[in-house]
Every structure is written in C-alpha cells, then in structure tokens.
Amino acid sequence: MSSAKEIKQLFADYVVPSYGRFDLVFDHGQGSYLWDTNGKRYLDLGAGIAVCCLGHAHPEIISALTEQAGKMIHISNLYYHKGQGRLAEEIVKRIGRGKCFFANSGGESNEGLYKLARKFGHESGRYEVITALNSFHGRTLAGIAATGQDKVKKGFEPIMDGFRYVPYNDLAAVESAIGPRTAAVLIEGIQGEGGITPAKVDYLLGLRKLCNEKNLLLLMDEVQCGYYRTGSFCSFQQILKGVPEGKDFLPDAISMAKAIASGFPMGAIWIREPYQDLLGPGTHATTFGGTPLACAVALKVLEVIQRDALPENVLAQSVFITEKLNTLVQRYPRVMNGIRGMGFMLGINLNTESGVFSPAKGNPSGQFVNRLSENGVLAIPAGASIVRLLPPLNLSRAEAEEGIEVIEKTAASLQ
Ligand SMILES: *Cc1c(COP(=O)(O)O)cnc(C)c1O
C-alpha cells in the first residue's frame, strides 16, 4: 500500500489544486467510520458533504451496484429502461404531481432549473432569477452566477447575466427585486455552504404567494438539505410540518443530488404540473443522466431509508445531539456560542471573539475541524465560524454519543 506521503505527492504532481484539502488520506470505510492509510479510525459526521446517506460500504448498495453492473450499466437516453421510470415515480410520490429529469451532480441539476426558468419566461422576454445572498448553487458558470457569494465568482468574470441577489429570509427584499425581466426565485430550503440557515415558515409561504401573484417560478435547491436530511424528504416539508397554511405548499421545481445515490454520482430535478413538459424533446440532455446503474442504486437507497425508518432515526438522534450540543454551549462558551439547523443538518457556531482561536492559524472552523479529526471525528467547516455536522442518516445512538464525547473533548482542550 502507498504511504500517505506518496499519495499526497501524486496530488501535488498531477492533480489540479482547486481544492483546499485537509491533511488526511483515507483508505476505506465501513458504516459511519473511515480509516486512513495509517489505520486510524474516524467517525464520519460529514458523510462526504451530506452524500453518503447510508454510510460507507453499505452491503445492499454494494449488491445493487454489482448486480446492475452485471446486467446493464448504460444505454443512453435514446432508449427506455425500467429503473429511470421507477425512480422518477418514487420521487414524484414523495413530492407531488410532476415529472423528473436526471443529471449527475448538484450543479448540473441546478442548470436544469435555470433552463426551465428561461424556457418558462422566454415568450414574455423574462429570464432573470432572483437568488439569495450567502446561497450556494454549484461551480458551473451559471452556478457561480446564481450563487450569492463573491468568493466563488472572483477571477471568473464576466459573470453570466440574469441573476439578482437579495438577503435570505427577507420577503420584502424579493418583492422589491422583482422587475419586468424576472422569471423565477431560487432558494435553498436550508442554506448549507452559507452556514446552516433554514428558511422561515413565513418566508416560504410568502414566496409561494408572491410567485403566484407575479407569475414567477418558485425554485428550490434541495441538493444538500433534501433527501431526508431533515427527517422529511424535502426540507420545506419538515419546516412546514404542522403548519396548516403550509399543507399544500409546493415549489414549482426542485433540484436534488448529493445523497440521492449515497455516493454514486447522480442528480435530479422534479418539475411540478403544469410545467413538467416545458423541457420538451431536444431542449435538454445529458449523456449519463439516469443510467440503469445510477437508478438501481438510487432506488435501493430509497428502499433502505423507508424500510429502516431512517427519517424517524434522523429526528430521534437529532433531538439527542442537539440537546447535548446545547449543553456543550453552556459548558464551553469561549469555544462555541450556539447550535443551528435541523435534523442531520446541524451547525456549531464557534465563538470567534473569545480569543481561543488564533487568527494566525486560519479560520476558526478549520481549526476546530482539524482538532476534531486529530481526535477521530470528521466534520465540515461552513464559512469561517461554523462547523457542520451532516452524518449518515443511519447513525446509531452509540455513534452519536461517541461524536458528542469527541466534540466535548475538543472543546475542553480549547476552553
Ligand atoms: C453541493 C451543492 C451544490 C453543487 O452540487 P455539486 O454536485 O457539487 O455540483 C448545489 N447546491 C447546493 C445547495 C449544494 O450544497
């Protein structure tokens, strides 16, 4: 086996350095754990950035992959196959009447949303999409244009035309940004990269009403917050749970990706009736979209999530984790000063004012995540001061307890 040093050298020599990587070289995984090349074990509370929703090396994902690979991996979208139709049916059942288009990533799925908005507005000369500040919609050219963060655009100007940005959770700001060219509004149900900020109930309901009044599409990016991460299939279903006015809430289109095939690359958009046929034959395509292989895995993911009652597990463990983290906030106020998010999309606010994080050592979030990994837990920074926990949906109580213990140990060492 190659040593960590040799592997990192291969990256230094041959891999485009577009990622800031942690100093960790992984070899294999099992369930909620990963092992590095030195044999050290880590509890993976990042799950590949909300991707590996059933953890690593899940036996049923392995057999779904290998069985389908032995049968038919790819045929192109020139032909029909059962898996794509069945997966679309399963997604429609979980959201509402409409149809799906399959892609390969979150950024590419969002491209489908932008194209839908343009097609929708084309006859009336409208093409603009209003998005939120602090959003994240992917790294394609339209994705960085849609994203309301300057850091992703820097050096790639001119930025594609047709996007306007407004503060998140601010309905009045959306209303005043609407102009004669506006075709759609796009938001994340819970901002992920921007720092774990859920949409408010009134914001969602208000956006729906506003989009109806102004004949705009309401688009939602559920790439990170969707796929049961909150305990409901879509984040807005969880946010609006028990809200009478929210019972019939639906966006007009939704993008998903990350967890859809628990690590096998895939993305999708769902489009609501009556817009589901706007992208007609010849208007949109992708070679690898919805292959028999990807669909077989994605169908297995949904089957396992349902059978093993993982949405209920997310809710139960999330209550436990949130309670414990709130205790840690009380106990270590110099290190952390708040918990945010919902379900298995949680953020720890670090206290950047107390002086426990030295500015010379980079972002507090990076410093905390580094210390966590030294102690055997993987988490993910969001911005400079928030640490994200995005565990696999099948995380056990014992694993949650282990994670909390390590977070406490890490906080104690800093306090
Ligand atoms: C990760 C992410 C994307 C981009 O997905 P890729 O698969 O990296 O292209 C888009 N939107 C949100 C909310 C994301 O979290």
Side-chain angles (χ1 to χ4, degrees):
M1 196 204 296
S2 302
S3 72
K5 195 162 163 256
E6 286 164 340
I7 293 167
K8 283 187 280 182
Q9 194 56 50
L10 289 174
F11 275 66
D13 291 343
Y14 303 117
V15 179
V16 171
S18 66
Y19 299 97
R21 294 180 200 267
F22 287 97
D23 192 15
L24 294 165
V25 184
F26 287 110
D27 182 68
H28 65 281
Q30 180 67 60
S32 301
Y33 294 95
L34 278 172
W35 281 262
D36 70 13
T37 47
N38 297 318
K40 178 176 166 183
R41 191 182 85 159
Y42 300 79
L43 178 66
D44 184 5
L45 300 183
I49 320 186
V51 166
C52 306
C53 63
L54 300 181
H56 301 282
H58 192 286
E60 285 167 279
I61 296 303
I62 297 169
S63 28
L65 255 173
T66 50
E67 275 165 32
Q68 186 58 47
K71 212 170 146 194
M72 184 162 76
I73 291 178
H74 175 89
I75 54 167
S76 89
N77 279 302
L78 296 172
Y79 313 108
Y80 297 93
H81 65 91
K82 185 175 168 187
Q84 191 177 131
R86 280 279 302 114
L87 179 59
E89 181 186 23
E90 289 297 329
I91 292 172
V92 166
K93 272 195 212 159
R94 285 164 173 78
I95 305 177
R97 286 177 72 91
K99 291 182 181 173
C100 296
F101 174 89
F102 293 99
N104 305 283
S105 68
E108 194 197 4
S109 299
N110 285 338
E111 292 284 334
L113 297 185
Y114 315 137
K115 284 183 73 175
L116 179 76
R118 290 210 168 185
K119 200 78 171 42
F120 166 76
H122 196 252
E123 275 178 24
S124 50
R126 300 183 296 152
Y127 58 88
E128 224 170 58
V129 181
I130 297 172
T131 68
L133 290 169
N134 253 335
S135 58
F136 182 77
H137 298 297
R139 296 289 195 146
T140 60
L141 275 179
I144 62 172
T147 294
Q149 300 192 56
D150 287 339
K151 67 177 185 199
V152 305
K153 304 178 206 240
K154 244 178 103 189
F156 298 102
E157 298 86 354
I159 296 302
M160 195 186 138
D161 190 24
F163 295 93
R164 295 184 71 168
Y165 319 99
V166 294
Y168 189 63
N169 269 330
D170 183 343
L171 189 62
V174 177
E175 193 161 10
S176 41
I178 295 170
R181 301 270 172 254
T182 311
V185 177
L186 166 65
I187 59 155
E188 289 160 89
I190 302 173
Q191 289 193 331
E193 302 302 307
I196 314 285
T197 309
K200 296 204 162 91
V201 167
D202 289 348
Y203 186 53
L204 290 177
L205 299 178
L207 280 180
R208 182 64 276 174
K209 193 161 163 276
L210 189 60
C211 288
N212 289 349
E213 283 165 11
K214 308 275 184 184
N215 188 27
L216 309 175
L217 293 183
L218 177 55
L219 311 174
M220 286 187 73
D221 181 337
E222 290 271 329
V223 167
Q224 187 166 153
C225 57
Y227 246 79
Y228 295 109
R229 187 136 292 278
T230 58
S232 290
F233 186 64
C234 293
S235 68
F236 61 82
Q237 295 166 337
Q238 186 66 31
I239 294 169
L240 295 172
K241 209 170 218 172
V243 177
E245 309 91 300
K247 212 168 61 64
D248 300 319
F249 174 93
L250 271 182
D252 297 307
I254 299 170
S255 59
M256 28 216 125
K258 290 196 161 86
I260 186 168
S262 194
F264 193 85
M266 190 181 209
I269 56 175
W270 165 91
I271 306 171
R272 179 189 196 173
E273 259 184 1
Y275 310 114
Q276 80 279 20
D277 295 328
L278 271 177
L279 296 173
T283 60
H284 195 42
T286 179
T287 297
F288 291 119
T291 63
L293 189 60
C295 292
V297 178
L299 280 165
K300 184 57 74 176
V301 166
L302 287 177
E303 183 191 320
V304 172
I305 288 175
Q306 199 99 357
R307 184 201 61 205
D308 294 351
L310 297 186
E312 291 77 3
N313 184 61
V314 168
L315 294 172
Q317 306 310 341
S318 174
V319 168
F320 171 77
I321 294 171
T322 311
E323 242 175 58
K324 294 285 177 189
L325 288 177
N326 277 316
T327 316
L328 298 189
V329 168
Q330 303 297 317
R331 220 172 273 167
Y332 307 100
R334 280 166 51 74
V335 180
M336 47 180 79
N337 54 16
I339 304 303
R340 41 205 296 135
M342 52 200 294
F344 272 3
M345 191 162 176
L346 296 171
I348 303 170
N349 284 342
L350 298 176
N351 186 342
T352 56
E353 312 282 290
S354 64
V356 301
F357 298 102
S358 149
K361 291 188 190 153
N363 280 337
S365 56
Q367 294 180 43
F368 196 80
V369 166
N370 269 322
R371 280 179 179 250
L372 277 179
S373 70
E374 281 162 22
N375 293 332
V377 161
L378 301 177
I380 301 173
S385 62
I386 292 161
V387 173
R388 263 182 295 178
L389 306 179
L390 305 161
L393 307 184
N394 53 6
L395 189 83
S396 70
R397 174 57 58 95
E399 289 162 348
E401 280 169 0
E402 182 188 341
I404 293 292
E405 269 168 39
V406 172
I407 293 168
E408 167 143 33
K409 179 176 153 191
T410 306
S413 76
L414 280 158
Q415 172 93 0

